[in-house]
Amino acid sequence: MPGYILHLTAAKILLDKTSTELSENNFLLGNLLSDVERNKVISHFQDPRNNSKILRYPDLGRFIKKYYHFLSDSSVCGYLYHLYIDQKFYKEYLPNLVKYIDAHGNSTVERENVKWVYIKRTDEKIPFKQFYSNQYYYGDFTKMNNYLIKKYALPLDLKL
């Protein structure tokens, strides 16, 4: 999943580009709420039938159905925006960058079958476990964090 700095960046960009009555502090806090819970199936409103998939993304309809009456609350809107960003990331962005491959060299969406990750931009095939490491996936977020914090003047002292 995108790191919390990336979520704050997306939220800040949205707030800066739109006129809204939302509380910036609460909207930004809401963008962090879903990652507090360890069980992402619950906190990210994922369909449990997709637990075996490599790319699991939020079902926004599940969230809206549950919290429909609270959508005027800035933190609830922030939570929904976090889920929206995750959905876009896993359904549209990441599949354009990588392909998951099984032991036979075939594309797969089943987590247990993934052995390799093919990185399209570099034409590189790396072991699955290596991809989700600081050398690749998580390392890219770490490298971007300081840049994003400065460029978008992200507040790191949100009020509870």
Side-chain angles (χ1 to χ4, degrees):
M1 298 190 171
Y4 80 95
I5 296 296
L6 193 62
H7 278 289
L8 288 177
T9 302
K12 185 84 163 69
I13 290 170
L14 177 72
L15 290 171
D16 289 348
K17 290 189 182 270
T18 59
S19 61
T20 179
E21 298 296 318
L22 294 173
S23 158
E24 179 174 324
N25 182 81
N26 292 351
F27 186 77
L28 294 174
L29 275 174
N31 268 271
L32 304 177
L33 287 176
S34 64
D35 285 340
V36 172
E37 169 65 46
R38 289 185 189 262
N39 185 340
K40 302 303 182 203
V41 173
I42 293 171
S43 67
H44 284 69
F45 292 81
Q46 297 170 351
D47 186 336
R49 295 175 295 185
N50 292 329
N51 282 350
S52 66
K53 307 292 186 225
I54 187 66
L55 297 178
R56 295 171 295 187
Y57 46 84
D59 180 340
L60 302 181
R62 287 174 182 252
F63 180 88
I64 292 169
K65 183 177 179 182
K66 183 171 183 176
Y67 292 110
Y68 177 78
H69 296 290
F70 300 101
L71 289 177
S72 62
D73 182 279
S74 298
S75 60
V76 174
C77 288
Y79 196 131
L80 178 59
Y81 192 64
H82 175 112
L83 299 179
Y84 170 78
I85 293 297
D86 279 358
Q87 184 187 69
K88 288 291 190 185
F89 185 82
Y90 285 118
K91 281 181 84 172
E92 297 174 22
Y93 182 73
L94 199 55
N96 286 319
L97 301 178
V98 301
K99 181 167 60 170
Y100 297 94
I101 302 171
D102 67 16
H104 305 289
N106 300 315
S107 182
T108 185
V109 296
E110 296 297 323
R111 176 178 282 282
E112 71 179 34
N113 295 337
V114 176
K115 300 295 181 209
W116 302 94
V117 176
Y118 173 70
I119 302 173
K120 297 174 183 180
R121 183 177 53 84
T122 60
D123 195 34
E124 186 179 8
K125 185 172 98 172
I126 58 171
F128 173 62
K129 289 182 181 181
Q130 189 177 350
F131 178 67
Y132 287 101
S133 72
N134 284 335
Q135 186 178 357
Y136 290 94
Y137 186 83
Y138 292 111
D140 284 348
F141 290 135
T142 301
K143 291 173 193 171
M144 291 186 318
N145 285 348
N146 286 334
Y147 169 79
L148 294 172
I149 290 168
K150 290 177 186 170
K151 178 171 174 68
Y152 295 101
L154 298 179
L156 300 178
D157 58 346
L158 299 171
K159 309 290 185 270
L160 295 177

